[in-house]
Amino acid sequence: MLFVRALFVEEINKYDWHKPLIGRPQKMEPVVINGQYEWFLSSQNTIATVDAQGSLNWRQHIGGDSYVFGQVVVVVGETVQAFSADNGRSLWEIPTTGKCFQTESDLFIATGKELLRVDPFAGAVVFRKDLVSQKVDLIKTHDHILVGDYEKGVTVHTFAHNGELKSKQTFNQQSDDCFFTESDQPLFVCSGAEKSFYTDLKHAFKPVQHDGLDYSLVPLSAKHRELVLAKREKKAHLAKLQSNGLVLVNPVSHLDKYSCVATASYGGSTIVSVLNTLYQQGKLMNEIFTDDQVQVEAYDFEFDKYGLVEECAVRMTSDTLRLAVVTMDDAVHLIRNQKLQWTREEGLAKIKKVVALDLPTADMDIHHDELGEDPDQQMDHVLDRLTHRWTKHYDQLRHLLEPKNTTVQEQQKIIVAVTEKGKVYGLNAQNGKIAWTYLIPRLEPLNLLVLREAHVKSPPVVAVVGHFPDQTFVRMINALDGGEYTINGHSTTVYNGHIVSSHSVDMLVPGHLLKHIALVHTDNYVSVNPSLDASDEAFKKQDHRYFLGSDSVIRGFKSGQIINSRFEPILKWTMEFKNQKILKIVSPPRNQVASLGRVLGDRNVLYKYLNPNVAAVASKGADFLYISLVETLSGQLLYRTKHKITERTNVELAFTENIVVYSFWNDKLDLPETKRLAPPVSKHTQVVVMELFESEKPNERMASYETDNHKIHVMSQSYVAPNQINVLSFTQTLQGITAKSVIAHIAGNHIVSIPRHVLDPKRPIHPPNAYEKEEQLQQYKPLLPWNPKEIVSYFKDISGINQIVSVPTFLESTSLVICYGHDLFVSQVMPSNAFDTLSSDFSYTGLIATFVGLIVGIVFFKYQADKKQIKDQWQ
């Protein structure tokens, strides 16, 4: 299927932005493409090249170990595949996998059953030889191919270049870490923590020693085997292991667990770079070893912003040293000529949670100034206030007359995201530019909560909740600039032990207009943050309820008395899901609801069931998927349905207002009511929509949602999706007037908008009658159509999305959709079209001219009328 969207060329990237990411690199290697130095990066599931400015050239979504042979990149994952380093196009594929070894012009694969020699440029298998082991190392010499097998003892196989086995030698040596090194001749080393042993393949193993002292050896690189790292106690040397013993070449001034070692080739020699962190001085120290010379360089680096260096790679040319490093926040940096050249924020590929907040507006400033909330800036004279107001109005009018696209300009929001590495980003919602970052090293983030939207001149505030070992950490951050937000001089609270849940409470901190945070500990006790005397007293008066879900049980609690600054849990109800595993629990967002009922074609009304305390629960049994609706205050089961499934089931669930939508993979068609209309499919993604009402009878309402054992009416319908659905969500708007759309990430890496009328459970299986046409219902068809005009991502490749968040904007017609996972994609979606905006070519000047003309005309004709009236009276 061709995926496009109804956009003009000039509108691309105008209503959306996309950050195509690679992820944390597991390998970085310089490549030369068309005479330009570029970098090849490979992460857990992506390979890519970036140019000299750090911009992405191409990427392929494939995981495995990668190897670069000039203009060819070979990836060994489920199969062995080769790609062009120039453009990423596939070159060849071999259906095998295993442990790989790279030589200058060959790739060797130990599959566990055999050894393959592969020509990486043509994809041809040169030879296959039996080799029942994967605990091996391999080296290719001028005459032979040596394979060291150390799975059970040590066995060294010697092959000719054509694959003929020349010899096989067995040694009585045990180790889990063995490798080849080659200085004057090939040697096989088995290394331990404090000492190593080696053999020249002719004699038995003997200890690695220098001047009678034992050393432990560490290989530097599979490409550069002539040098090793020799360690003894806390000292390290670059060394060469020769047949007559260890030769120490250069001492390494400092080497610890934070040091990074990289190698490269230059002028026929091996260059070794040892990178260390000078945190207090804000510098990286790089020791560069070339032959017998040592050069030391220092680079300025913002450790507070990026954290410590964890990986590095180096390339040397005649006049330039290029150093690529990966920091603890997963960012990739290139240092060239001792200066930082570019940074790629690859940490955004592991976002844990996202929120979007409104920015302060000019209207807030006007109201704030006139209210005079700051005593030093109060305007006592009425004329001063009038002058100030008219000045603001003039600025607003001048801004209104500037040519702009209203839809884009109105998105005055900042997106705040926290990653798995504890880094918090503030991104401009309009263009995706990073406004600020804040790193909390070693934090395992759990939640990101909005404590305050922009209020007059008070900035928006978020709180990061996460775990350190044996502790829970809460820090408040100013969402405008990324600085810490303090209450009574403190921005951070640390609790002993871990928590299982956290949520904001609609109870304001005195003097700050901030919401409180309720932290549920592992013993189900609740702490209130910030912990103030007034806060604890106010929380006592609240009827605070919460529920917690485990693998097969959901429990509802009420906060009781305070004990040692924590509120004891009172168990109110328990719901067991016997022989089932809970997959997902979703509650509806507490947004504005425009209509309490659904108007039918005969003008009767079905009232929506809008209980905010309902949760949709997806659970899986042996052969069935169960969808349950649970009232979380009382623990009442309102509704349950089930579907026969297989092991491969991928369940997605979304809930808003009174609408539940879920999807899952099924091997058999599950449309019993419409079997005659079902398409001939067996394996498919099934989509089910449910709409909840207070009663089956029109115009009938419930007395209260708090009544025990109340019953609801559920309308549901099933559909078949043409693609696998990975994530589901609903659009959200400011007042809830705009029709809802379902936003989904589908196979093929596209974001699609499914209109609400397409997923209506009331669609009749027969041609719609007059009443059904009045409701704008379409005849039911099981297969959902993907309308090309509703592909939000048009031709873009939006990879690895695992969450979609929709937030309202200042325009009722527009919802801001934030998709994150491996990539980050943000777009504006208008389910009911842009009914409250003017077109981009609207003539503001013509509008003003019309008003001026009307005013002039009114004045002129009033003057003429008054003149005629006076003249008539004189007559």
Side-chain angles (χ1 to χ4, degrees), residues 626-655:
Y626 298 87
I627 302 296
S628 308
L629 299 178
V630 181
E631 212 282 337
T632 59
L633 294 184
S634 62
Q636 178 186 348
L637 179 63
L638 300 174
Y639 178 82
R640 175 170 286 172
T641 186
K642 65 180 181 179
H643 305 269
K644 191 170 182 61
I645 57 169
T646 60
E647 283 297 320
R648 189 189 157 183
T649 297
N650 175 35
V651 180
E652 296 300 326
L653 180 65
F655 193 178

Side-chain angles (χ1 to χ4, degrees), residues 458-471:
S458 299
V461 177
V462 298
V464 179
V465 182
H467 284 163
F468 285 124
D470 302 322
Q471 289 182 324

Side-chain angles (χ1 to χ4, degrees), residues 14 404-405 838-844:
K14 195 171 186 179
K404 62 183 182 295
N405 183 292
L838 299 174
S839 63
S840 58
D841 58 351
F842 181 80
S843 176
Y844 292 90

Side-chain angles (χ1 to χ4, degrees), residues 347-348 350-357 414-420 422-427 436-438 445 448 462 464 477 818 820 824:
L348 289 170
K350 293 288 185 180
I351 291 178
K352 183 79 173 182
K353 184 74 181 291
V354 158
V355 296
L357 302 96
I414 188 166
I415 296 172
V416 181
V418 60
T419 69
E420 291 182 0
K423 187 165 185 177
V424 188
Y425 292 84
L427 301 109
W436 53 264
T437 60
Y438 187 96
L448 181 65
V462 298
V464 179
I477 298 176
I818 307 167
Y820 61 93
L824 179 58

Side-chain angles (χ1 to χ4, degrees), residues 119-143:
D119 181 350
F121 303 99
V125 177
V126 179
F127 67 72
R128 296 173 181 263
K129 290 296 176 181
D130 292 338
L131 183 67
V132 187
S133 176
Q134 279 192 322
K135 292 185 69 174
V136 297
D137 192 28
L138 181 147
I139 188 172
K140 181 182 176 183
T141 67
H142 180 70
D143 298 319

